[in-house]
Amino acid sequence: MRIIIIGAGPGGYETAAEAASRGIEVVLISEGPLGGTCLNEGCIPTKALCSMSAPDLSRKAEVISQLQAGIAQLMRNKLITLVQGKASLAGGTSVKVGDQEFSGDALIIATGSVSATLPIPGADTALDSAAMLNLDKVPARLCVIGGGVIGLEFASIYRKFGSEVTVLEFCPNVLPRFDVDLAKRLKSALVRRGVTIETSARVTAVEGNVVKWTKNDKAFETQADCVLMAVGRRPNLASLNLDDAGIEYSPSGIAVDENMRTNVPGVYAIGDITGGMMLAHVASAQGRRALNHICGIEDAIDFSTVPAAVFTVPEAATVGRTEEECAGMDITCGKANYRANGKAVASGEADGWCKVIAEKSTGRILGVHILGAHASDIIHEAAVLVALGVTTKNARDIIHAHPTLSEVLLAAITAA
Ligand code: NAD
């Protein structure tokens, strides 16, 4: 069997490696470098900045090239052919790159997403997240348009670097799709660290060093040496030739079923190009689902239990349902604070909180939301509990090592 994969981000390259390990021949086509947005201008360089006290572009480049070499090694497999270039669909499962044509038994489209912008004057003068990662100087004043994941991560990083940071968020809360309790606590934590955050703010223009915005019909201006546009990402649909290939899509992405199949037989789409949760780990899991379907294997990947983390200081992490998503259900919430946790206090990381949401009648854990040090690691125990439908009673019986931050989760479970 032979499959064609377009895009070498975490969705594309991980699926290529998995396919090769199953003895499938793969043609992996990518216009950009191995690792896609995640490695080259997203998750990984952002995490590199998180660990610095001032921007160090050579260290960032080192991290990227080390990881890229790892992926290149993974792709050095006799079953994988790497093709550098822009792919466009040529009908069915065939793809053209320049004057070369490739066809396979199946085609997987994994071309990711690009930064979205606002239809306002001066929007093109603002930086996107990729450009932000290449700043070699710390701006005295940074204005971030959008208080979502990207906006808050850069706000947190540049506040730590010493910038005066203002975040302008259109919705009444930052992180609009997150648990409101968690979002409000993260907002307060960032404000305590000196970030100015304006919610319900409508940005109307960027004029040189001034960002103009309105709130409750009053006009405001924020002075900034650097403006970051972080109002979301949109699927990278351009130049794939989807119309001629007859693939159904909308501006929010290529339409797929639960097996990541498009409407054209043999053609699959995974990751950001399908809209929805634009997360590297979702793209990889969707790739595995598509591959399983191609191979006729049924799996139990649970796309309703997707952990997500925001790499601010403090970190935020979430899995399962938010309290808002449980509206109308009879639930109980258990909460615990990091300041009551021995390790958190001893290591000077006592700013944090954990909330466990459980169904009242059965005790089944439905959602967990954590703000605090290492939230992005602790959340995976919670993901297991949610995915397996574990009850608070059973979870309490699992012994947790002392002293560890994971005891905060146990304390919140106990309180639920
Ligand atoms: P997002 O959707 O998380 O946030 C965009 C924010 O911009 C929202 O809060 C939205 O209300 C706000 N907004 C929209 N229009 C606005 C306007 N006119 N004025 C002010 N605010 C406005 O998108 P993002 O932060 O750009 O991230 C893009 C994608 O990348 C997301 O899917 C995100 O999950 C993903 N991502 C994930 C991570 C992570 O997992 N740690 C990190 C970075 C990005």
Side-chain angles (χ1 to χ4, degrees):
M1 193 190 311
R2 184 188 209 221
I3 61 171
I4 315 290
I5 301 176
I6 312 175
Y13 81 75
E14 289 200 13
T15 307
E18 172 86 22
S21 76
R22 297 185 192 183
I24 299 170
E25 203 187 309
V26 180
V27 179
L28 178 62
I29 307 166
S30 185
E31 194 187 2
L34 285 176
T37 301
C38 167
L39 173 56
N40 297 285
E41 47 189 41
C43 323
I44 301 300
T46 313
K47 256 76 289 158
L49 286 191
C50 282
S51 65
M52 297 169 187
S53 50
D56 177 349
L57 297 189
S58 64
R59 165 82 188 125
K60 187 202 79 170
E62 221 174 85
V63 169
I64 294 175
S65 78
Q66 187 182 332
L67 292 169
Q68 220 163 46
I71 301 172
Q73 180 61 34
L74 199 61
M75 297 298 104
R76 229 167 270 136
N77 181 312
K78 64 179 183 334
L79 288 173
I80 301 176
T81 306
L82 275 179
V83 178
Q84 178 90 33
K86 202 183 196 82
S88 90
L89 306 196
T93 58
S94 298
V95 170
K96 270 193 177 149
V97 183
D99 49 16
Q100 285 179 286
E101 187 158 336
F102 301 92
S103 42
D105 301 290
L107 164 66
I108 300 179
I109 306 170
T111 50
S113 60
V114 292
S115 291
T117 187
L118 291 178
I120 54 166
D124 55 336
T125 63
L127 301 186
D128 64 9
S129 54
M132 249 345 254
L133 289 165
N134 289 325
L135 285 187
D136 55 359
K137 279 207 236 48
V138 176
R141 298 162 304 180
L142 168 67
C143 180
V144 178
I145 305 175
V149 183
I150 292 182
L152 295 188
E153 287 185 353
F154 277 103
S156 176
I157 289 167
Y158 273 86
R159 181 65 202 133
K160 189 181 72 175
F161 289 167
S163 298
E164 197 181 288
V165 181
T166 303
V167 177
L168 302 173
E169 165 57 45
F170 181 73
C171 291
N173 289 306
V174 294
L175 298 178
R177 286 183 294 272
F178 282 62
D179 185 90
V180 171
D181 224 354
L182 178 71
K184 285 186 172 167
R185 283 167 191 267
L186 176 55
K187 179 184 172 205
S188 305
L190 292 174
V191 168
R192 277 200 302 281
R193 283 161 176 77
V195 178
T196 301
I197 301 181
E198 296 287 350
T199 50
S200 304
R202 177 190 290 271
V203 177
T204 53
V206 180
E207 284 176 13
N209 281 0
V210 178
V211 178
K212 298 191 163 183
W213 51 282
T214 62
K215 181 169 179 165
N216 301 328
D217 296 326
K218 276 199 207 128
F220 298 89
E221 289 186 357
T222 296
Q223 304 284 331
D225 306 292
C226 176
V227 179
L228 165 63
M229 184 69 75
V231 295
R233 295 183 62 85
R234 55 182 177 77
N236 188 13
L237 298 158
S239 77
L240 275 170
N241 196 26
L242 295 173
D243 290 315
D244 289 345
I247 305 244
E248 265 174 34
Y249 69 98
S250 73
S252 53
I254 294 180
V256 286
D257 68 6
E258 72 283 3
N259 289 314
M260 314 316 296
R261 276 187 300 185
T262 69
N263 61 310
V264 173
V267 182
Y268 297 72
I270 61 167
D272 289 10
I273 190 76
T274 63
M277 284 177 281
M278 292 189 174
L279 297 169
H281 46 288
V282 171
S284 310
Q286 290 177 336
R288 204 147 51 82
R289 166 61 59 82
L291 192 59
N292 286 341
H293 189 265
I294 293 166
C295 299
I297 297 170
E298 251 186 56
D299 65 53
I301 303 171
D302 177 4
F303 288 100
S304 68
T305 308
V306 176
V310 188
F311 295 89
T312 40
V313 177
E315 288 183 356
T318 177
V319 69
R321 293 188 212 206
T322 65
E323 208 171 324
E324 294 67 40
E325 284 167 347
C326 294
M329 293 178 73
D330 206 6
I331 56 163
T332 168
C333 291
K335 299 177 185 180
N337 288 311
Y338 271 52
R339 64 171 178 270
N341 176 280
K343 186 172 181 192
V345 174
S347 53
E349 295 176 315
D351 186 9
W353 158 98
C354 173
K355 174 166 84 174
V356 169
I357 304 171
E359 191 177 36
K360 216 174 204 165
S361 57
T362 60
R364 197 164 62 98
I365 298 170
L366 303 173
V368 176
H369 310 281
I370 308 174
L371 178 74
H374 301 282
S376 62
D377 298 308
I378 303 169
I379 202 66
H380 293 96
E381 180 190 353
V384 173
L385 300 177
V386 172
L388 299 183
V390 177
T391 64
T392 48
K393 183 178 175 307
N394 287 344
R396 276 185 72 177
D397 290 344
I398 301 169
I399 298 171
H400 283 60
H402 176 78
T404 59
L405 294 179
S406 296
E407 289 173 293
V408 179
L409 174 60
L410 187 63
I413 289 167
T414 305

